[in-house]
Every structure is written in C-alpha cells, then in structure tokens.
Amino acid sequence: MELQGHIGRFQRQCLGLLSRFGGSDRLRQFKFQDDNVEGDKVSKKDEIELAMQQICANVMEYCQSLMLQSSPTFQHAVCLFTPSLSETVNRDGPRQDTQAPVVPYWRLPGLGIIVYLLKQSANDFFSYYDSHRQSVSKLQNVDQLPPDEIKELCQSVMPAGVDKISTAQKYVLARRRLVKVINNRAKLLSLCSFIIETCLFILWRHLEYYLLHCMPTDSQDSLFASRTLFKSRRLQDSFASETNLDFRSGLAIVSQHDLDQLQADAINAFGESLQKKLLDIEGLYSKVRSRYSFIQALVRRIRGLLRISRN
C-alpha cells in the first residue's frame, strides 16, 4: 500500500507538469529565465524552449504508456483526466495570458489541459516551421544577407567583439548560428508532431470511454454504474491508496450533466479550424519525413465520436 501511494503521488505530479510547462504558463517560465540569464539570451531561450517541449513530450509519452498498459479494453479504460474541458475554455477566453489555476497534486487534471496543449502545439508547430524554412533559405543565400542581419547572427554566437573580426569570419559565425537554429527548429518540429499525435490519442481514448461506455452515477442504474466505475479504475485505486486522499470517489462521480457538457465543449473546442491545422501539419511534416502518422485517423475518430448523440 505504501509503494502504491508513492507511485500514485509520482504519477499525479507528472501530470501536473503539463500545466507548468505547457501552454500559457510557459510564458512565465521564459520571463523568469530572461530575468536570470546573462550572456547569450537567444541561445539560452532556444535551449529552454527545447527543454520545455521535451518535458511535455515525455509526460505525454508516459500518459500514453499508462493507458496502453492498464486499459485492455475501451469498456475498462483507465482515465488519467477528468471529463472537464474547463482549462481550455478558460484559457481560450479574452485573457489568454491568464495563469491557469494551480491544481492540487492529489487531484486529476481535466481533459481540457490536453485540448489546450494540442492547440498550443499546433500553433507552435507552424511558428517553428516558418522559422526553420526561413533559416534554411538564409543559409543557402547567406552571402546576400544585409550587414545588419549578419551582425545580429554573429552576436548570438559571439556577444562581444563582432566589429573587430573580418567579413569572412562574420560569414562563418552567421552560418554557424543558422545551422544551430535549423537543428533546434527541426528538433522542436519533431517534438511538436509527437505531442500532437499523443494528445489526439489520449483525447480519443478518453472521449471513447466517457461518451460511449461511461455510465453516469445519476442514471437509473447508478448502483451498477458505480460498481463498473469502481472496477475500471485500477490505476485510480493506486492513486487513492492514501487514506487522507479520497481520490477514487472524486473521479467515480460522473453525472449525466458532466458528460453532456463534455460533448458540447469538445464540439466547440475541436472545431473545423483546429482539424484543418492538424491535417495540414500531417501533410507538411509527417509524410515528408517518411514517418507513419496517425493524425488523420485520430482526427476522423474524434470527429465521429462528437457526432454521436447520447440521447
């Protein structure tokens, strides 16, 4: 029991990293680092951004592994996220830079953090893609870049003394910086593509369970529903092993209103514009890299789930 308690605490804290390093909270991390980093801030920012994306990718991979190992069937799925999209609804409001409320470590985050991370990663992908394409173009035509831009590229490699080196040395430093940017953006594109695909998988598995197999506790068969939910929460059983954290009961109480609200919010959040972005990403990156991608299939399945009426 003590071991299960430690495992459960570790799992919850891993999920909490998504709120800290994904989405708008990441801006606070950048500002904090900018205020505390001296010297080459441009390169440091690139390293920090890459580290944050890597953390999100690692947590998403961990979530996917937990679901695949612990959920033999859709009817007995392990749900790592509650059926709430409040995180993405709140953050998509008029103040998108507002810090998300801190979720206590003993409480599961809502599915909204996955949708928000999905949207954020899609936007990041196009930003990285444009930066990568521009850097490649500059590298191919570095001799034609204006002197001010050459100087700026050199300063990111050598903060002081750029004016004292020869023009040939400046071009060498500019090329070195562009190669570094290209490699950085390539890694970020790979991480974003992975995060997007994993977010879609987790969103699909949760919606599959909540909209098709979950029996609300306020239904006529509430007693049977409670037993079903109790049996299907093996992972949450380990989360609730500590006596002072009634974690399991908090997750098992899913009302019909919760499920209806989930479907309504998901329809709004997973709209046509987001779907088009995701399909464009698959076309721009995944197929070009000769890597099998399931973005289109997952988008199609999620879209089909949201069209199903629960009445």
Side-chain angles (χ1 to χ4, degrees), residues 17-302:
L17 293 175
L18 292 177
S19 294
R20 183 175 181 184
F21 293 104
S24 60
D25 288 358
R26 194 173 55 188
L27 299 177
R28 294 190 307 109
Q29 299 288 337
F30 279 142
K31 187 177 186 307
F32 174 79
Q33 295 294 342
D34 285 343
D35 294 339
N36 291 275
V37 171
E38 298 179 354
D40 183 7
K41 289 188 176 182
V42 177
S43 294
K44 289 295 182 183
K45 184 178 179 181
D46 288 346
E47 293 174 7
I48 293 167
E49 187 165 13
L50 182 62
M52 289 183 178
Q53 293 285 10
Q54 185 68 67
I55 290 171
C56 288
N58 291 343
V59 174
M60 294 306 298
E61 184 177 16
Y62 179 63
C63 293
Q64 179 177 276
S65 298
L66 283 177
M67 295 195 68
L68 290 174
Q69 293 172 6
S70 307
S71 306
T73 64
F74 291 110
Q75 291 85 348
H76 299 86
V78 167
C79 293
L80 303 177
F81 301 90
T82 64
S84 170
L85 296 186
S86 59
E87 287 94 338
T88 190
V89 172
N90 294 336
R91 294 192 186 189
D92 286 343
R95 295 190 58 188
Q96 297 185 12
D97 60 339
T98 303
Q99 180 181 350
V102 178
V103 179
Y105 78 91
W106 62 83
R107 190 180 301 172
L108 278 182
L111 200 55
I113 188 63
I114 296 297
V115 177
Y116 188 83
L117 182 60
L118 176 64
K119 292 181 176 182
Q120 187 68 49
S121 298
N123 292 333
D124 288 343
F125 179 92
F126 286 105
S127 176
Y128 300 147
Y129 183 83
D130 290 340
S131 177
H132 181 273
R133 184 176 56 181
Q134 291 170 9
S135 297
V136 170
S137 177
K138 289 179 182 179
L139 182 61
Q140 293 171 346
N141 304 280
V142 68
D143 296 335
Q144 301 176 13
L145 294 178
D148 290 342
E149 190 166 0
I150 292 292
K151 181 179 180 180
E152 183 180 350
L153 290 169
C154 292
Q155 286 176 336
S156 63
V157 179
M158 188 175 67
V162 174
D163 295 330
K164 299 178 181 179
I165 64 177
S166 66
T167 302
Q169 289 175 314
K170 289 180 182 178
Y171 282 123
V172 171
L173 292 180
R175 288 190 179 93
R176 185 183 304 172
R177 172 58 186 170
L178 287 170
V179 169
K180 189 174 181 179
V181 171
I182 291 170
N183 291 335
N184 174 268
R185 298 301 185 267
K187 293 177 182 177
L188 288 170
L189 285 170
S190 177
L191 290 172
C192 276
S193 177
F194 177 81
I195 292 172
I196 288 169
E197 191 170 318
T198 314
C199 280
L200 285 171
F201 172 80
I202 291 176
L203 178 62
W204 164 57
R205 289 295 295 265
H206 279 75
L207 289 176
E208 179 92 3
Y209 175 77
Y210 283 128
L211 298 182
L212 296 184
H213 304 294
C214 179
M215 300 186 66
T217 55
D218 56 354
S219 67
Q220 294 181 353
D221 300 325
S222 59
L223 179 60
F224 175 75
S226 297
R227 289 179 180 176
T228 303
L229 286 166
F230 182 85
K231 290 180 179 179
S232 65
R233 291 297 189 273
R234 291 177 295 168
L235 181 59
Q236 283 76 351
D237 286 349
S238 65
F239 285 165
S241 58
E242 296 174 273
T243 56
N244 61 328
L245 301 178
D246 191 12
F247 197 74
R248 178 181 54 220
S249 62
L251 182 68
I253 300 175
V254 179
S255 67
Q256 182 63 50
H257 177 267
D258 293 333
L259 300 178
D260 293 339
Q261 189 66 48
L262 170 64
Q263 187 169 24
D265 290 342
I267 290 173
N268 293 328
F270 199 74
E272 292 293 333
S273 60
L274 176 59
Q275 294 177 32
K276 185 180 184 303
K277 274 186 180 181
L278 297 173
L279 297 178
D280 288 344
I281 287 172
E282 184 174 46
L284 283 173
Y285 180 76
S286 300
K287 293 181 180 179
V288 176
R289 294 300 182 276
S290 299
R291 173 184 173 274
Y292 288 108
S293 174
F294 301 97
I295 291 178
Q296 182 177 0
L298 289 168
V299 167
R300 187 169 59 249
R301 291 200 175 197
I302 292 172

